[in-house]
Amino acid sequence: MSDTITTQRKGSGTMFDGIAPRYDLLNKLMSFGMDRRWRRHLIDSLGDIAGRTVLDVATGTGDVAIAIAQRCAQARVVGLDPSSGMLAVGACKLEAAALDDRVTLVAGDAQELPFDDDAFAASCIAFGIRNVPDRSRALREMARVTQGGGRVVVLELGEPASGPISALARLHVHHVVPMLGAWLSNDEAYRYLQASIAAFPPPKEFAALMDAAGLDVVAIKPLAWGAANLFVSDGR
Ligand SMILES: C[S@@+](CC[C@H](N)C(=O)[O-])C[C@H]1O[C@@H](n2cnc3c(N)ncnc32)[C@H](O)[C@@H]1O
């Protein structure tokens, strides 16, 4: 890994090491269990992956990688993440689900993927791109390792749109999430979560970043009034 990539900042693998044992529970509580449904939308957007290999960047504890392998019996998945703590939790889940023969976990950074050009039929990143310091570089890397025409899909939390119903979603992101986070985990990590959601570019701006990285965005799907957004690219 290049030494231009820092690992000690907020949002880094090191920060996630500290919350890894409680990450899955926190995720469910904070998204009211909607995270599973959002990941399913992501998997549906990957195109035809039967018999092929998919890359899941920022795999964390492996939920997306596991869901892909369960959904598509012939697919193989490589999950990459810099946090050894998150990967260790993921490895236990893979073993329990008897999927360790089709899902491989690899330590690494999105900004410098340790894979050959065109190594994967499709690639994705769920709730991870927000944490990557150089997002353009990570998106270019995903484009590079994905075969031409293969899907590159990004799922990311967002700032809910304005309006009376979405006010509830905003209340949740700005008040409930940090409170739950401080209570169940480490205060700083979850203050970071809220701040990083607020700082993430609006959907059209992020889609433009994907386009500039050489990815052709064909759909932006808001989920739960924009509390999350799915960006689907037809690759390069
Ligand atoms: C919120 S978790 C998402 C995990 C998983 N994708 C999910 O759906 O639950 C964010 C993950 O991003 C990882 N991460 C942080 N910086 C990264 C980087 N530069 N490259 C790849 N992953 C990174 C963290 O270690 C963490 O596991």
Side-chain angles (χ1 to χ4, degrees), residues 49-210:
I49 52 168
R52 313 185 70 191
T53 306
V54 177
L55 173 64
D56 177 32
V57 180
T59 195
T61 62
D63 276 352
V64 170
I66 290 171
I68 294 172
Q70 283 173 334
R71 188 75 167 268
C72 191
Q74 281 88 36
R76 303 179 88 73
V77 190
V78 175
L80 171 135
D81 201 282
S83 162
S84 52
M86 296 287 271
L87 291 178
V89 174
C92 293
K93 287 159 67 176
L94 282 179
E95 208 182 318
L99 285 172
D100 36 356
D101 56 333
R102 283 195 297 123
V103 181
T104 309
L105 299 179
V106 174
D109 193 297
Q111 299 159 110
E112 202 168 310
L113 294 174
F115 307 113
D116 292 337
D117 296 357
D118 300 330
F120 300 95
S123 61
C124 59
I125 179 165
F127 313 122
I129 194 74
R130 206 181 57 239
N131 302 304
V132 178
D134 188 341
R135 293 175 189 143
S136 297
R137 183 170 164 185
L139 292 168
R140 283 198 304 275
E141 278 291 86
M142 289 177 76
R144 177 183 68 77
V145 301
T146 307
Q147 290 152 20
R151 292 274 168 93
V152 176
V153 182
V154 178
L155 174 61
E156 191 47 89
L157 297 172
E159 186 65 17
S162 51
I165 299 181
S166 51
L168 280 177
R170 284 198 303 281
L171 182 83
H172 181 72
V173 168
H174 291 297
H175 299 284
V176 181
V177 165
M179 228 167 57
L180 275 173
W183 180 43
L184 284 167
S185 181
N186 132 3
D187 193 15
E188 195 192 347
Y190 279 87
R191 266 207 309 270
Y192 160 77
L193 173 67
Q194 185 205 355
S196 67
I197 295 171
F200 195 70
K204 281 195 180 143
E205 209 177 296
F206 182 71
L209 200 72
M210 287 181 73

Side-chain angles (χ1 to χ4, degrees), residues 216-235:
D216 184 15
V217 176
V218 291
I220 306 173
K221 298 181 191 166
L223 305 166
W225 301 284
N229 289 288
L230 190 65
F231 302 86
V232 182
S233 151
D234 249 350

Side-chain angles (χ1 to χ4, degrees), residues 29-71:
L29 289 175
M30 288 180 183
S31 70
F32 292 129
M34 284 188 286
D35 57 319
R36 278 186 67 185
R37 190 146 43 90
W38 294 345
R39 289 191 188 91
R40 264 206 309 275
H41 282 293
L42 180 158
I43 295 165
D44 287 344
S45 305
L46 287 173
D48 183 10
I49 52 168
R52 313 185 70 191
T53 306
V54 177
L55 173 64
D56 177 32
V57 180
T59 195
T61 62
D63 276 352
V64 170
I66 290 171
I68 294 172
Q70 283 173 334
R71 188 75 167 268

